[in-house]
Amino acid sequence: MRVFYYAVTSNFGDHMNSWLWPRLIPELLAQKSNDVLIGIGSLIQADVGKLQGNKIVFGTGSGYGPMPLPSEVRDWRVYCVRGPLSARMLGLPAEKAVVDGAWLVDSLPEFRFRDRERRGTVFVPHWTTDLYANWRQPCREAGIRYVSPFLDGAAVLDSIAGAELAIVESLHGAIMADYYRVPWIPVATGERVLSFKWLDFCLSLGLRFRPIHLPITDSIERAIVPAPEDEWSSGVRYMPEAVEADFAEVPRARHTPVSWQYRMKVKAKALARPARTGAWRAINALRETAPLRAAFRPRSQALADLLQAIAQEPSLLSSDSLRERKLEQLTQCLEQFRSDFGVRS
């Protein structure tokens, strides 16, 4: 069996697949078969149908691109999905909507929730924000720990689990904060929020999704994210609430052969990505130099004040009883998965 996930970046949420499944189903991954496990992430879309092999879905979400037809999904083995929106769009019964598969860390003693001392606030940005924006200095000035989503997964989970509050633009930052019983506040840069996947997760836990808007941090970010003047505003501003009715229509894909032009475009982007990422990391290193930090300080202080104000806003956290029920359902799904493939507990 092989695991399919978004491995283009080292974003911790996607890369949980690289260490979580080998601990949970090592016997199955060691076997050569025609089975492909569609793992943690917002992976379900029409193009998944083009993957070679028998599709197995566990704790996965949707939200990017048109969806497959329910008739196509009938041939897939779906144990559970992230939330009710994903289930509905795949034509699945409501009981298949459990929670994001990242909560499977509850099956691993080294990552399982435990009572521990909690201190301070963490800020977990979206991985693109980590590359393009400049939130490190405002976090330092606000006394908030900046947690890059590109850090080792264990380090990210430990930072979240040890916090009193999490300000999160990373969806899996929110998912893991809720698992670790850390109140969390969703924030979003307008260009980088995908409300569908957030609402899907929130609905699975009976929560509302209304993020606080994050403004542009500096002129370097603005150069790549064209924005109106009000994007410089540093006041607390909520974005419109996402509700189920916003996603009543299901976009479906028309299946056409993949053109050679499209394949070339994908390959070109893949080849260019390491250079682009390296360039932005070099820019972020320059942002940390004394001259640019001094030049940025007035804006940084305004953003630090914003972060401190956001930390005073109402936070989200699912109920303990609902969390326990979801974990029981997830464990049952995992046991069924293992049993179906001949793995004894």
Side-chain angles (χ1 to χ4, degrees):
M1 182 179 294
R2 66 189 191 278
V3 181
F4 171 79
Y5 64 96
Y6 189 72
V8 171
T9 75
S10 56
N11 174 40
F12 88 98
D14 298 309
H15 273 257
M16 288 181 72
N17 290 284
S18 69
W19 53 262
L20 183 63
W21 296 112
R23 286 171 167 82
L24 295 174
I25 52 168
E27 309 93 334
L28 299 182
L29 298 186
Q31 297 174 5
K32 290 185 178 180
S33 72
N34 197 35
D35 299 318
V36 54
L37 172 61
I38 303 167
I40 297 164
S42 302
L43 301 169
I44 303 175
Q45 56 173 299
D47 284 349
V48 167
K50 299 174 184 177
L51 289 173
Q52 296 297 314
N54 306 312
K55 283 72 169 179
I56 301 161
V57 174
F58 197 109
T60 321
S62 52
Y64 290 103
M67 297 294 291
L69 296 169
S71 59
E72 298 170 307
V73 178
R74 278 199 287 268
D75 293 332
W76 301 4
R77 248 189 224 261
V78 181
Y79 288 93
C80 58
V81 292
R82 175 186 288 154
L85 291 183
S86 291
R88 184 186 311 158
M89 289 197 170
L90 292 172
L92 300 171
E95 58 265 25
K96 293 289 185 180
V98 179
V99 75
D100 193 274
W103 276 21
L104 284 169
V105 296
D106 194 66
S107 299
L108 304 179
E110 65 266 45
F111 296 107
R112 185 179 299 146
F113 167 81
R114 68 182 190 278
D115 287 327
R116 58 181 291 179
E117 183 179 9
R118 301 176 186 272
R119 292 184 179 179
T121 300
V122 294
F123 175 77
V124 190
H126 188 271
W127 68 267
T128 55
T129 296
D130 184 77
L131 281 179
Y132 304 146
N134 192 0
W135 285 101
R136 288 172 175 80
Q137 187 174 342
C139 281
R140 281 194 297 268
E141 296 185 15
I144 292 173
R145 183 175 180 184
Y146 183 95
V147 180
S148 169
F150 291 120
L151 291 173
D152 175 75
V156 175
L157 297 189
D158 185 64
S159 295
I160 293 172
E164 296 174 287
L165 175 71
I167 299 173
V168 286
E169 190 189 21
S170 158
L171 174 60
H172 277 93
I175 289 168
M176 298 317 301
D178 206 278
Y179 168 76
Y180 286 119
R181 305 284 80 195
V182 176
W184 53 278
I185 298 173
V187 294
T189 303
E191 295 293 322
R192 300 170 197 142
V193 61
L194 185 63
S195 294
F196 180 97
K197 65 180 185 179
W198 279 89
L199 182 61
D200 195 28
F201 169 67
C202 286
L203 287 172
S204 73
L205 297 179
L207 301 172
R208 297 172 62 189
F209 177 59
R210 192 185 180 201
I212 296 174
H213 180 265
L214 289 182
I216 296 296
T217 54
D218 61 15
S219 56
I220 297 175
E221 182 185 5
R222 191 177 187 183
I224 62 161
V225 184
E229 286 300 321
D230 64 358
E231 287 292 309
W232 290 91
S233 171
S234 296
V236 173
R237 178 159 57 97
Y238 280 86
M239 299 177 74
E241 181 178 358
V243 295
E244 289 185 75
D246 295 337
F247 304 99
E249 297 298 322
V250 183
R252 301 294 182 187
R254 293 182 178 179
H255 293 285
T256 56
V258 179
S259 68
W260 68 267
Q261 294 96 332
Y262 176 78
R263 292 182 187 276
M264 291 298 293
K265 180 181 177 181
V266 171
K267 288 182 179 180
K269 288 178 68 176
L271 290 171
R273 188 174 288 110
R276 185 170 68 244
T277 300
W280 275 105
R281 286 178 175 159
I283 289 172
N284 283 330
L286 285 175
R287 279 168 161 162
E288 292 292 307
T289 61
L292 287 189
R293 285 177 63 179
F296 182 60
R297 185 158 289 114
R299 177 66 176 166
S300 177
Q301 186 57 60
L303 294 176
D305 293 343
L306 172 62
L307 289 172
Q308 290 174 332
I310 289 174
Q312 300 306 310
E313 293 294 304
S315 59
L316 300 176
L317 192 66
S318 65
S319 69
D320 289 341
S321 60
L322 179 57
R323 173 183 176 276
E324 288 304 313
R325 187 163 76 249
K326 292 292 183 179
L327 286 171
E328 288 176 6
Q329 292 173 332
L330 200 63
T331 299
Q332 291 170 2
C333 289
L334 180 61
E335 290 174 351
Q336 186 64 56
F337 177 22
R338 292 169 60 87
S339 174
D340 288 347
F341 285 86
V343 178
R344 296 182 178 179
S345 300

